[in-house]
Amino acid sequence: MRLASRSVLTLGSCSRCTAGVYSIEWNGIRLWSAACGPATSSVPEKLHVCIVGSGPAGFYTVDRLLKRYGDRVHVSILDRLPTPFGLVRSGVAPDHQDTKNVTNQFSSLATDPRVSFLGNVLVGRDVDISELRALHHAVVLAYGAESDRRLGIPGEDDPTTSTSALRWSRGGGGVFSAREFVWWYNGHPDARHLPIDLSKVRSVAICGIGNVALDCARVLLSPPDRFTPTDLAAHALRQSGSPLGSAVREVHLVARRGPVQAACTPKELKELLTECGVSARTAAPDQLTVSEADAAEMKATRLKRRVYELVSKAQQQQQGRSRRDLFFQFYRNPVEVLRGPDGGVAGIRVERTVVRPDGPGGTAVAVGSGVYDTIECQLVLKSIGYKSLPLHGVAFDNRRGVIPNLEGRVLKQVRACVSTCDEGLYVVGWLKRGPTGIIGTNLVDAEETVACVAADTDALLRAGEKTHGSAGPPGLAGLTALLRQRGVRVVDWRRWRLLDEHEVAAGRAAGRVREKETEVKEMLRVCGFSME
Ligand code: NAP
């Protein structure tokens, strides 16, 4: 066993004082202090931390904890899926394999003796958050954003039902969030059955012009050789015909504001415009018009200027229609998803906008003009931002879609001050700050949250001792005992490696990076569980 549930460190060198108080400091962090007992008095050997979610935020938190605490910590990192890495596996585009290399770093963290991975454990089903908190000194929530912002417009939902069966019968298109589409092409088990059939879709409207929208556009428009060698899910690759078997001929990137306010970054935009064989242009020439304020913004911000230049250049270079067209629909706010007689998507109605500095602090907002256009399409992807889901027993800010926190310390209420922190509970990543930033942003974020854990160490150890006696909470040993008792099929790192090797071998046989398993049941079978 890696960690005895009641293992303690006997202090031979505590700094006793006549006032009867001693403390342990490690790496400059006050780990423990208490009323001085006999020379043989003992303190918990380790701080037991449980992280919920094994995406980039979770693994960077592991990294920071190990660096801060050395041997005086044990970290259990949980995932609801049998697979680790969260957004890196299910979010990063398959043609961005370099970005996925960060999993090498995460894998070495997971094999560290101070760390245990527990996959296929769903908090709320297999174990409650209150139980996790009772078993550990600290719990860090890092389960990301698994839902979506809504447009809130007519036609966004299926007119009669949202069941997959009916959406399927409506010709392969429909309205999906970009997260659903990204999960679908990345083989996330929850999205494998989405009724998307690109062989029946000629035109797609993507609402929003952030980097996720560009990922979706690349997948829809690129020639097949871009994705065939990658780990794009086989069901997405298999669709008949060319590029992903799709009939897609045009993609409309619908942005409610102008090119200067586009949320995407120049590197990703250039990749779409230069590497994917598309002919790109604005849907109407005046969509490149910019105000004086925009011109000033471009002068001040190189990234904004670069995005504008890329769109202008594409406009100048375009030579009529091509096999695959990309249309920038700037200054167009979606107001309704239009449905055909059978309920299937027929188009999206947009209102032309002007951008004015009417937002808080003079920020540029889109103001409707009362003039409307229709973009014909069979598939609408809402790429307007992810949203986190609440966890029973933990405060949640529904408006912002995050867990309320102060620098990573979870608050008991949405609007609260530091005195109402939920002791021992922390948050990191998109769940903490909202769905922004690249994978590396989570490193800085994790540093901030772990700094709070470190500052609270004294109190955490004291609380653990008060409840559990001098040995403190049982941590991993207690958690695995509980899960075993409940019959949970826990995928530890050894079992995940069986699945990992299986996927890589299957991919190699097909000349691909990896052939992903997309069904949890099959994943567990490959992980060595009997599925009787
Ligand atoms: P995002 O960058 O926040 O973009 C959201 C887009 O949705 C914006 O164009 C926004 O327009 C629009 N939008 C929001 N609400 C809307 C509404 N009600 N109606 C119409 N449009 C609306 O979000 P994202 O693309 O999901 O990306 C999330 C984060 O992941 C970003 O930080 C992104 O850079 C990162 N990411 C990075 C990469 C990469 O580096 N390769 C890849 C994927 C994602 P307004 O600006 O007008 O609000």
Side-chain angles (χ1 to χ4, degrees), residues 111-185:
T111 50
D112 189 293
R114 296 165 289 176
V115 179
S116 303
F117 172 70
L118 293 88
N120 197 39
V121 178
L122 176 60
V123 178
R125 177 193 64 190
D126 301 320
V127 61
D128 282 341
I129 186 69
S130 57
E131 292 168 329
L132 289 180
R133 295 180 72 177
L135 290 166
H136 301 85
H137 290 105
V139 173
V140 184
L141 301 173
Y143 60 81
E146 298 206 319
S147 184
D148 317 286
R149 289 191 191 133
R150 288 176 54 79
L151 284 167
I153 60 174
E156 184 171 6
D157 301 312
D158 190 284
T160 48
T161 174
S162 62
T163 64
S164 298
L166 192 70
R167 286 206 279 179
W168 179 240
S169 69
R170 294 231 166 90
V175 182
F176 299 93
S177 70
R179 176 191 57 81
E180 289 177 304
F181 186 64
V182 169
W183 276 13
W184 176 76
Y185 69 61

XYZ file of all heavy atoms in Angstrom, residues 111-185:
584
model
N 2.461 9.059 -12.441
C 3.193 7.863 -11.997
C 4.090 8.159 -10.796
O 4.793 7.274 -10.310
C 4.053 7.296 -13.153
O 4.823 8.367 -13.707
C 3.189 6.699 -14.238
N 4.060 9.372 -10.319
C 4.818 9.716 -9.118
C 4.192 8.980 -7.923
O 2.970 8.921 -7.812
C 4.740 11.239 -8.911
C 5.665 11.720 -7.825
O 5.435 11.379 -6.632
O 6.616 12.450 -8.151
N 5.014 8.407 -7.030
C 4.439 7.677 -5.890
C 3.570 8.539 -4.972
O 2.773 8.014 -4.196
C 5.663 7.157 -5.134
C 6.856 7.725 -5.786
C 6.469 8.323 -7.090
N 3.696 9.833 -5.086
C 2.869 10.715 -4.237
C 1.498 10.991 -4.861
O 0.702 11.750 -4.299
C 3.596 12.059 -4.024
C 4.902 11.942 -3.277
C 5.726 13.206 -3.422
N 6.270 13.353 -4.776
C 6.965 14.405 -5.206
N 7.189 15.417 -4.392
N 7.434 14.439 -6.444
N 1.263 10.395 -6.023
C 0.030 10.709 -6.765
C -0.720 9.427 -7.118
O -0.101 8.420 -7.464
C 0.379 11.472 -8.072
C -0.879 11.798 -8.870
C 1.159 12.748 -7.755
N -2.042 9.456 -7.029
C -2.858 8.316 -7.470
C -3.974 8.812 -8.379
O -4.691 9.757 -8.020
C -3.498 7.607 -6.273
O -2.504 7.190 -5.388
N -4.113 8.173 -9.530
C -5.207 8.495 -10.446
C -6.357 7.520 -10.198
O -6.134 6.308 -10.086
C -4.728 8.384 -11.902
C -5.842 8.503 -12.917
C -6.478 9.724 -13.131
C -6.263 7.393 -13.649
C -7.519 9.839 -14.057
C -7.291 7.494 -14.578
C -7.915 8.728 -14.785
N -7.553 8.056 -10.083
C -8.734 7.204 -9.896
C -9.762 7.600 -10.960
O -10.527 8.561 -10.789
C -9.340 7.375 -8.498
C -8.513 6.878 -7.304
C -7.572 7.954 -6.792
C -9.429 6.434 -6.180
N -9.744 6.867 -12.078
C -10.682 7.148 -13.163
C -11.976 6.386 -12.962
O -12.061 5.453 -12.158
N -13.009 6.796 -13.717
C -14.333 6.168 -13.649
C -14.988 6.366 -12.278
O -15.748 5.523 -11.829
C -14.238 4.672 -13.993
C -15.591 4.081 -14.348
O -16.406 4.719 -15.004
N -15.830 2.859 -13.901
N -14.664 7.476 -11.632
C -15.275 7.799 -10.332
C -16.041 9.109 -10.488
O -15.440 10.157 -10.740
C -14.194 7.948 -9.235
C -14.845 8.340 -7.914
C -13.390 6.662 -9.089
N -17.343 9.025 -10.379
C -18.169 10.229 -10.551
C -18.605 10.757 -9.187
O -19.288 10.041 -8.420
C -19.394 9.894 -11.422
C -20.407 11.023 -11.626
C -19.776 12.243 -12.312
C -21.593 10.530 -12.451
N -18.200 11.983 -8.917
C -18.615 12.608 -7.658
C -20.104 12.933 -7.769
O -20.543 13.557 -8.733
C -17.779 13.882 -7.373
C -18.253 14.566 -6.089
C -16.308 13.527 -7.270
N -20.856 12.503 -6.760
C -22.314 12.672 -6.815
C -22.995 11.345 -7.099
O -24.162 11.169 -6.775
N -22.284 10.413 -7.722
C -22.844 9.076 -7.966
C -22.093 8.043 -7.116
O -22.689 7.278 -6.369
C -22.719 8.702 -9.450
C -23.215 7.294 -9.794
C -22.776 6.858 -11.193
N -21.320 6.738 -11.302
C -20.659 6.559 -12.451
N -21.329 6.517 -13.584
N -19.333 6.455 -12.450
N -20.777 8.033 -7.238
C -19.971 7.019 -6.548
C -19.524 7.479 -5.165
O -19.280 6.666 -4.273
C -18.729 6.687 -7.393
C -19.118 6.180 -8.771
O -20.088 5.403 -8.851
O -18.471 6.572 -9.761
N -19.373 8.764 -5.025
C -18.919 9.325 -3.756
C -19.421 10.764 -3.689
O -19.521 11.439 -4.720
C -17.365 9.236 -3.662
C -16.682 10.017 -4.766
C -16.839 9.692 -2.301
N -19.786 11.200 -2.496
C -20.275 12.585 -2.344
C -19.124 13.526 -2.047
O -18.119 13.125 -1.477
C -21.272 12.672 -1.175
C -22.630 12.149 -1.585
O -22.868 12.076 -2.803
O -23.408 11.800 -0.693
N -19.354 14.783 -2.360
C -18.328 15.784 -2.067
C -18.079 15.840 -0.552
O -16.933 15.999 -0.108
C -18.719 17.174 -2.648
C -17.588 18.185 -2.483
C -19.992 17.714 -2.085
C -16.390 17.932 -3.312
N -19.138 15.636 0.252
C -18.959 15.686 1.715
C -18.051 14.535 2.169
O -17.244 14.701 3.084
C -20.312 15.618 2.417
O -20.980 14.448 2.014
N -18.178 13.388 1.502
C -17.319 12.248 1.863
C -15.862 12.524 1.466
O -14.937 12.242 2.226
C -17.831 10.979 1.172
C -19.167 10.516 1.717
C -19.833 9.439 0.868
O -19.646 9.427 -0.378
O -20.549 8.623 1.451
N -15.690 13.094 0.276
C -14.316 13.430 -0.143
C -13.680 14.400 0.848
O -12.510 14.283 1.199
C -14.313 14.061 -1.537
C -14.625 13.159 -2.722
C -14.569 13.953 -4.020
C -13.647 11.979 -2.780
N -14.470 15.353 1.291
C -13.938 16.362 2.224
C -13.599 15.725 3.563
O -12.610 16.080 4.193
C -14.943 17.498 2.397
C -15.163 18.263 1.103
C -16.144 19.381 1.262
N -15.585 20.478 2.035
C -16.223 21.616 2.264
N -17.425 21.799 1.782
N -15.645 22.565 2.959
N -14.416 14.781 3.989
C -14.151 14.132 5.276
C -12.897 13.255 5.202
O -12.203 13.062 6.196
C -15.355 13.300 5.691
N -12.606 12.743 4.023
C -11.478 11.807 3.868
C -10.142 12.514 3.612
O -9.094 11.864 3.634
C -11.752 10.848 2.699
C -12.872 9.813 2.918
C -13.272 9.167 1.600
C -12.414 8.751 3.907
N -10.198 13.811 3.284
C -8.958 14.526 2.923
C -8.851 15.830 3.689
O -9.865 16.389 4.129
C -8.937 14.829 1.413
C -9.019 13.600 0.561
N -10.207 13.017 0.235
C -8.051 12.851 -0.006
C -9.984 11.937 -0.521
N -8.669 11.813 -0.673
N -7.640 16.335 3.777
C -7.478 17.666 4.373
C -8.064 18.739 3.455
O -8.637 19.719 3.923
C -5.978 17.980 4.575
C -5.327 17.170 5.634
N -4.474 16.122 5.356
C -5.387 17.254 6.993
C -4.033 15.594 6.490
N -4.563 16.260 7.497
N -7.888 18.549 2.156
C -8.348 19.566 1.205
C -8.865 18.896 -0.060
O -8.355 17.848 -0.477
C -7.193 20.508 0.844
N -9.895 19.502 -0.651
C -10.417 19.032 -1.941
C -10.333 20.207 -2.918
O -10.741 21.327 -2.590
C -11.884 18.550 -1.810
C -12.470 18.227 -3.178
C -11.961 17.323 -0.902
N -9.786 19.936 -4.091
C -9.682 20.975 -5.124
C -10.588 20.576 -6.288
O -10.409 19.505 -6.884
C -8.230 21.139 -5.636
C -8.157 22.290 -6.644
C -7.254 21.367 -4.484
N -11.564 21.425 -6.592
C -12.491 21.130 -7.690
C -11.888 21.627 -9.000
O -11.538 22.802 -9.133
C -13.840 21.796 -7.422
C -14.509 21.360 -6.112
C -15.765 22.188 -5.846
C -14.858 19.873 -6.150
N -11.765 20.716 -9.956
C -11.115 21.061 -11.229
C -11.853 20.375 -12.375
O -11.229 19.919 -13.325
C -9.649 20.610 -11.190
N -13.201 20.322 -12.247
C -13.938 19.520 -13.238
C -14.391 20.317 -14.466
O -15.192 19.854 -15.270
C -15.105 18.760 -12.584
C -16.163 19.590 -11.915
C -17.181 20.188 -12.652
C -16.182 19.759 -10.534
C -18.166 20.939 -12.044
C -17.172 20.511 -9.907
C -18.167 21.097 -10.679
O -19.157 21.846 -10.071
N -13.849 21.520 -14.626
C -13.981 22.233 -15.892
C -15.371 22.740 -16.218
O -16.155 23.069 -15.334
N -15.649 22.800 -17.510
C -16.911 23.363 -17.994
C -17.519 22.369 -18.975
O -17.072 22.258 -20.106
C -16.652 24.709 -18.668
N -18.557 21.671 -18.516
C -19.140 20.615 -19.347
C -20.548 20.967 -19.799
O -21.367 20.094 -20.060
C -19.128 19.285 -18.589
C -17.711 18.831 -18.245
C -17.595 17.337 -18.080
O -18.490 16.733 -17.478
O -16.586 16.768 -18.569
N -20.814 22.260 -19.882
C -22.094 22.696 -20.434
C -21.829 23.950 -21.288
O -20.665 24.279 -21.547
C -23.082 22.971 -19.306
O -24.341 23.304 -19.844
N -22.905 24.615 -21.682
C -22.740 25.666 -22.686
C -23.578 26.894 -22.383
O -24.670 26.785 -21.831
C -23.186 25.118 -24.051
C -22.684 23.720 -24.266
O -21.490 23.571 -24.510
O -23.491 22.771 -24.138
N -23.072 28.043 -22.821
C -23.913 29.239 -22.826
C -24.985 29.053 -23.889
O -24.770 28.340 -24.871
C -23.084 30.470 -23.171
C -22.156 30.868 -22.058
C -21.559 32.243 -22.344
N -20.482 32.514 -21.431
C -19.287 32.995 -21.789
N -19.034 33.270 -23.057
N -18.354 33.218 -20.893
N -26.096 29.728 -23.688
C -27.184 29.615 -24.669
C -27.387 30.932 -25.403
O -27.138 32.004 -24.862
C -28.478 29.223 -23.953
C -28.510 27.790 -23.472
C -29.791 27.502 -22.694
N -31.004 27.846 -23.425
C -31.549 27.096 -24.384
N -30.992 25.952 -24.719
N -32.650 27.481 -24.997
N -27.848 30.825 -26.635
C -28.173 32.035 -27.380
C -29.469 32.659 -26.870
O -29.631 33.873 -26.887
C -28.337 31.711 -28.874
C -27.053 31.465 -29.668
C -27.392 30.850 -31.024
C -26.266 32.745 -29.856
N -30.388 31.799 -26.428
C -31.672 32.292 -25.931
C -32.534 32.860 -27.043
O -33.187 33.883 -26.859
N -32.514 32.207 -28.214
C -33.306 32.719 -29.351
C -34.302 31.651 -29.797
O -34.086 30.451 -29.572
C -32.390 33.127 -30.539
C -31.567 31.926 -31.041
C -31.481 34.281 -30.132
C -30.757 32.221 -32.304
N -35.395 32.078 -30.463
C -36.365 31.089 -30.943
C -35.699 30.087 -31.894
O -34.817 30.459 -32.668
C -37.399 31.946 -31.703
C -37.189 33.342 -31.229
C -35.763 33.459 -30.794
N -36.141 28.849 -31.798
C -35.635 27.815 -32.700
C -34.353 27.155 -32.224
O -33.882 26.194 -32.834
N -33.780 27.660 -31.123
C -32.524 27.088 -30.636
C -32.711 25.625 -30.229
O -31.829 24.795 -30.435
C -32.044 27.923 -29.439
C -30.697 27.507 -28.886
C -30.189 28.505 -27.844
O -30.936 29.440 -27.477
O -29.032 28.349 -27.409
N -33.874 25.333 -29.639
C -34.152 23.952 -29.237
C -35.056 23.303 -30.265
O -35.810 23.982 -30.966
C -34.837 23.934 -27.866
C -33.956 24.593 -26.821
O -32.764 24.247 -26.771
O -34.454 25.478 -26.097
N -34.962 21.979 -30.312
C -35.821 21.244 -31.223
C -37.276 21.580 -30.919
O -37.676 21.657 -29.759
C -35.572 19.736 -31.051
C -36.255 18.948 -32.127
O -37.484 18.791 -32.039
O -35.566 18.521 -33.058
N -38.097 21.829 -31.955
C -39.460 22.300 -31.698
C -40.313 21.327 -30.901
O -41.219 21.745 -30.189
C -40.043 22.503 -33.098
C -39.102 21.865 -34.046
C -37.777 21.749 -33.371
N -40.066 20.050 -31.029
C -40.966 19.119 -30.341
C -40.293 18.371 -29.200
O -40.884 18.117 -28.172
C -41.523 18.070 -31.326
O -40.420 17.553 -32.081
C -42.540 18.692 -32.248
N -39.038 18.019 -29.410
C -38.342 17.254 -28.377
C -36.857 17.442 -28.597
O -36.406 17.788 -29.670
C -38.688 15.752 -28.447
O -37.858 15.072 -27.512
C -38.444 15.166 -29.811
N -36.085 17.185 -27.565
C -34.633 17.279 -27.758
C -34.014 15.896 -27.820
O -32.816 15.741 -27.746
C -34.013 18.085 -26.624
O -34.249 17.418 -25.410
N -34.856 14.857 -27.922
C -34.259 13.524 -27.932
C -33.463 13.312 -29.214
O -33.828 13.786 -30.286
C -35.309 12.393 -27.827
O -36.120 12.463 -28.982
C -36.146 12.517 -26.573
N -32.391 12.559 -29.072
C -31.505 12.311 -30.200
C -32.240 11.641 -31.345
O -32.032 11.957 -32.503
C -30.353 11.422 -29.760
O -29.618 12.089 -28.782
N -33.151 10.717 -30.998
C -33.809 9.939 -32.044
C -34.515 10.858 -33.033
O -34.406 10.697 -34.241
C -34.804 8.974 -31.420
N -35.216 11.859 -32.504
C -35.948 12.730 -33.409
C -34.991 13.637 -34.180
O -35.145 13.860 -35.370
C -36.975 13.564 -32.646
C -37.953 14.255 -33.592
C -38.875 13.238 -34.242
C -38.763 15.299 -32.882
N -33.988 14.160 -33.461
C -33.052 15.048 -34.158
C -32.377 14.293 -35.308
O -32.108 14.831 -36.354
C -31.992 15.564 -33.170
C -32.566 16.601 -32.232
C -31.500 17.513 -31.731
N -30.760 16.935 -30.637
C -29.742 17.553 -30.040
N -29.363 18.741 -30.423
N -29.097 16.979 -29.063
N -32.128 13.006 -35.079
C -31.487 12.156 -36.083
C -32.329 12.073 -37.343
O -31.850 12.137 -38.456
C -31.285 10.766 -35.483
C -30.653 9.753 -36.376
C -31.187 8.586 -36.782
C -29.347 9.826 -36.954
N -30.304 7.913 -37.582
C -29.163 8.656 -37.714
C -28.319 10.757 -36.926
C -28.001 8.387 -38.419
C -27.161 10.492 -37.632
C -27.017 9.321 -38.365
N -33.656 11.951 -37.135
C -34.536 11.752 -38.285
C -34.645 13.028 -39.127
O -35.223 13.037 -40.177
C -35.926 11.325 -37.811
O -36.525 12.417 -37.157
N -34.087 14.117 -38.605
C -34.244 15.383 -39.318
C -33.057 15.706 -40.221
O -32.663 16.847 -40.365
C -34.462 16.500 -38.303
C -35.794 16.326 -37.576
C -36.593 17.592 -37.630
N -37.968 17.342 -37.238
C -38.406 17.433 -36.002
N -37.593 17.778 -35.031
N -39.657 17.191 -35.740
N -32.437 14.709 -40.744
C -31.513 14.935 -41.846
C -30.074 15.250 -41.486
O -29.345 15.809 -42.290
N -29.633 14.884 -40.301
C -28.191 14.960 -40.010
C -27.728 16.302 -39.519
O -26.631 16.433 -39.006
N -28.551 17.338 -39.657
C -28.151 18.653 -39.171
C -28.730 18.899 -37.799
O -28.872 17.986 -37.007
N -29.047 20.155 -37.518
C -29.629 20.475 -36.226
C -28.872 21.612 -35.571
O -28.089 22.325 -36.215
N -29.129 21.796 -34.285
C -28.447 22.830 -33.513
C -27.671 22.144 -32.401
O -28.254 21.392 -31.611
C -29.458 23.827 -32.895
C -28.716 24.926 -32.130
C -30.346 24.441 -33.965
N -26.385 22.364 -32.377
C -25.544 21.775 -31.333
C -24.631 22.864 -30.780
O -24.307 23.834 -31.482
C -24.672 20.641 -31.890
C -25.472 19.511 -32.459
C -25.791 19.475 -33.810
C -25.942 18.488 -31.648
C -26.552 18.452 -34.348
C -26.707 17.447 -32.166
C -27.007 17.430 -33.522
N -24.215 22.665 -29.556
C -23.172 23.568 -29.055
C -21.848 23.114 -29.666
O -21.686 21.941 -30.048
C -23.097 23.503 -27.533
O -22.575 22.258 -27.126
N -20.917 24.053 -29.762
C -19.594 23.685 -30.277
C -18.970 22.624 -29.378
O -18.276 21.728 -29.846
C -18.704 24.930 -30.337
N -19.243 22.713 -28.068
C -18.680 21.699 -27.151
C -19.168 20.310 -27.549
O -18.377 19.369 -27.612
C -19.108 22.007 -25.707
C -18.645 20.958 -24.692
C -19.310 21.162 -23.335
N -20.762 21.130 -23.431
C -21.495 20.020 -23.488
N -20.907 18.840 -23.441
N -22.801 20.068 -23.598
N -20.460 20.191 -27.862
C -20.985 18.881 -28.271
C -20.285 18.407 -29.547
O -19.898 17.237 -29.663
C -22.496 18.967 -28.514
C -23.328 19.138 -27.266
C -24.817 19.284 -27.586
O -25.190 20.184 -28.370
O -25.610 18.502 -27.055
N -20.141 19.328 -30.504
C -19.511 18.948 -31.774
C -18.045 18.551 -31.554
O -17.563 17.556 -32.099
C -19.614 20.119 -32.757
C -19.118 19.799 -34.141
C -19.748 18.848 -34.928
C -18.001 20.452 -34.662
C -19.284 18.539 -36.208
C -17.526 20.155 -35.936
C -18.175 19.199 -36.705
N -17.357 19.327 -30.720
C -15.945 19.037 -30.425
C -15.827 17.688 -29.717
O -14.965 16.874 -30.050
C -15.323 20.174 -29.571
C -13.965 19.776 -29.022
C -15.215 21.464 -30.389
N -16.716 17.433 -28.756
C -16.715 16.129 -28.076
C -16.997 15.010 -29.088
O -16.414 13.943 -29.006
C -17.791 16.100 -26.978
C -17.344 16.705 -25.661
C -16.231 17.463 -25.443
C -18.011 16.605 -24.401
N -16.173 17.836 -24.123
C -17.251 17.331 -23.458
C -19.188 15.983 -23.973
C -17.630 17.432 -22.111
C -19.553 16.093 -22.634
C -18.778 16.806 -21.720
N -17.903 15.280 -30.015
C -18.279 14.263 -31.013
C -17.061 13.889 -31.858
O -16.737 12.719 -31.999
C -19.410 14.812 -31.885
C -19.816 13.905 -33.014
C -20.579 12.766 -32.918
C -19.473 14.062 -34.386
N -20.729 12.210 -34.164
C -20.058 12.983 -35.089
C -18.751 15.004 -35.110
C -19.938 12.814 -36.463
C -18.631 14.841 -36.483
C -19.209 13.755 -37.144
N -16.369 14.914 -32.402
C -15.244 14.545 -33.287
C -14.026 14.086 -32.492
O -13.136 13.454 -33.035
C -14.923 15.638 -34.314
C -14.330 16.965 -33.854
C -13.106 17.050 -33.206
C -14.994 18.159 -34.149
C -12.573 18.280 -32.829
C -14.469 19.390 -33.778
C -13.258 19.442 -33.113
O -12.722 20.645 -32.751
